[in-house]
Amino acid sequence: MSILIDKNTKIIVQGITGKAGAFHALECMKYGSNIIGGVTPGKGGQVFEKKIPIFDSVIDAVDKTGANATLVFVPPSFASDSILEAIDASIDLIVVITEGIPVRDMAEVKTKLARSQSRMIGPNCPGIITPGKCKMGIMPSYIHKPGKIGIVSRSGTLTYEAVWQLTSRGYGQSTCLGIGGDPITGTTHTDAIKLFNEDSETEAIIMIGEIGGDAEENAAAYIKDNVKKPIVAFIAGITAPPNRRMGHAGAVISGGKGTAMAKIETLANAGVAISPTPSEITETLFKIYDP
Amino acid sequence: MNIHEYQAKALFEACNILVAKGVVIHKLEEIPEALNQISSDRYVVKAQIHAGGRGKGVFVNSLKGGVKIAESKEEASALAREMLGNTLITHQTGPKGRKVNAVYFSELLTIDKEYYLAVLLDSVSSQPVIVVSTEGGMEIEKVAEKTPDKIIKVLIDPSLGLRPFQSRYITYCLGFQGKQASQMSGIINTLYNLFYEKDCSLIEINPLITTLNGDIVALDAKVSFDDNALFRHPDILEMRDLNEENPKEIEASKYSLNYVALDGNIACMVNGAGLAMATMDIIKHYGGNPANFLDIGGGATTQQVTQAFKIILSDSNVKGILVNIFGGIMQCDIIAAGIIEAAKAIKISVPLVVRLEGTNVDIGKKLLEESGIEINSVDSLSEAAKNIIKLVNP
């Protein structure tokens, strides 16, 4: 009852010796995630937490451990190189937590990614968790509970908000994933909703979006034609002032599609239930879904 | 990061793109010398602010238009005197407008044809896109709306770069021929390279013109850069104009806090951009007005939290504060320590509602309880929003 990760996912952590990398690698291990190696160039041969081997390169780590997933904490100026390294080593799932990677670097990564079999989640995201089985990310563990509702979001903390609303009322999640708030992401809302739609153990879907771009509109088009499962959306940024984040010519490309209101309308027209506030996501879902 | 038109034109000139000859001034006494440097009897006088719509903008002293044509040195000088230090309001500046700290004089060229040319990131394909149109000099949004077929977009694979067939295609679509076609191809190549090498998020020329003697010249220039990439462009960072930014936002950026000033009276301090926006939304939903957007990020320290309080409290409109933290990387005890530290350092004289959830929430709540600071502590976001609105509007 999950998408992308489960108990058998074999994970390495790139940047495991950094402050955030070390802290969250340990947290993931405590949760029961199958962390089997780390990569920090120059520190190959060392050992993390007395049992996890550290390698100089991703290829080496994959050769020695058989890893099929990587969690990336490498700082922004080196992050794209680390992602390219993971794609080159044919890692199936690349989860990038790093915030602040230059757009140009991600544009290059994205073309390489398109020619590979790897899936990337993020960057600038909280990661992915299949409650009770596997956590690859920085989300607080205790708020999650195994269950049948899938959650996809561009925002980290707003995802926690939705998860906590479910868990504190006794309902669990199949998988929760944060796809990241950057202009270029590896996995889109549509990709995640497609996976949830095809997952037999996910019964309902919560989708959280925000202003800018047109990922939510694309998802709406997919939902309209393909999704029969109950689905609720919350879009953040109704009060966000215009012209603060979107450039002048950017508006040409998105053709007036970037505002919260436009996204809400498009989703509602696709049959998605809209939560009026971030606090009412669960209530809105339970109006259309009987768990 | 945005730069001024005159700075963007200097970048263009450095890579051999023709621009209308011009000189910028920052002080009144620089006007005569500047006008002497331009060998023309008619001038364009342009207010330099980081906002579009300058031509149709209005100054607070009722002078209309931030872009004016002057028929003589005297007229150009008089216009510059009115513009400099004045505040220009355009559809992009908001009602408060922007103070004009620089004025740009340029020669007036005779236009044969006008074009639109931009390089930016296409959010759908995640690739750079070159956008051109024969409908130059107009608002491109209006062209997109009324005659979308007059806009041509060419996507560039970033790993291959701009290929000759692509610049040829763009050139011929715009109707250039012969020598002018190769000149135009060269301009497109140069601009794409500039976009790529300098990590631009936008290069926009509207209009790009042909003159009667056949030159292709950038009459206007708008260039902005990816903030995430500024670390590798110290030369670009030097062009940052702090006068164009809100002082509180500058102060916030020194501490890696993401702050945007708004005009309400309920300040927010939140971790994560999405939750920060959602917190503003819910305040509005229950009838309040947010005073700011503030994302303290994923790994804030006690010092950053203290600074965040100082910044939001320096806004005299603020009548209450809502702290909303859902700890992931951010640990609730750090927020609590920051609140206590801030309360010691600066007197928090307005009501404070705190909602903590997530990593180390129990330690955080206990720290706040034991601190003796007057805090309205709640568990849910809707409760937090309702409480702060009640406290601000008793």
Side-chain angles (χ1 to χ4, degrees), chain A residues 100-105 108 111 115 138 140 142 157 161 164 214 237-239 244 248-249 252-253 277 279, chain B residues 92 122 124 140-141 157 196 199 204 222 226 228 232 249 260 271 275 281-282 285 327 329 355 357-358 382:
Chain A
I101 304 176
V103 172
R104 183 180 94 193
D105 298 3
E108 288 167 346
T111 58
R115 291 164 197 152
I138 59 172
Y142 79 92
T157 42
E161 190 73 46
W164 185 239
D214 55 7
I238 282 206
T239 49
R244 287 308 301 257
H248 185 58
V252 178
I253 299 297
T277 73
S279 296
Chain B
Q92 282 190 11
D122 174 46
V124 178
I140 195 68
E141 289 87 348
D157 180 329
Y196 186 83
D199 280 291
E204 186 182 47
K222 186 176 178 184
D226 176 9
N228 286 351
R232 55 190 176 204
E249 290 172 21
V260 176
N271 65 327
L275 191 59
D281 293 348
I282 201 167
H285 180 82
I329 297 185
R355 184 275 180 129
E357 196 58 73
S382 54

Side-chain angles (χ1 to χ4, degrees), chain B residues 323-353:
Chain B
V323 177
N324 181 24
I325 302 296
F326 211 122
I329 297 185
M330 166 62 67
Q331 293 158 23
C332 292
D333 52 327
I334 290 185
I335 287 290
I339 296 173
I340 295 163
E341 190 91 342
K344 277 183 198 158
I346 34 169
K347 203 174 164 295
I348 299 180
S349 52
V350 295
L352 176 62
V353 173

Side-chain angles (χ1 to χ4, degrees), chain A residues 13 44 68 91 113 150 153 162 170 192 194 201 208 221 232 236 246 272 285:
Chain A
V13 177
N68 58 7
I91 296 243
L113 200 63
S153 169
K194 191 163 185 259
E201 302 292 334
I208 299 170
V232 61
M246 289 183 295
V272 175
L285 178 65

Side-chain angles (χ1 to χ4, degrees), chain A residues 77-95:
Chain A
S77 48
F78 309 106
S80 68
D81 192 51
S82 297
I83 302 166
L84 291 171
E85 188 184 1
I87 299 171
D88 200 56
S90 301
I91 296 243
D92 294 335
L93 181 67
I94 303 165
V95 179

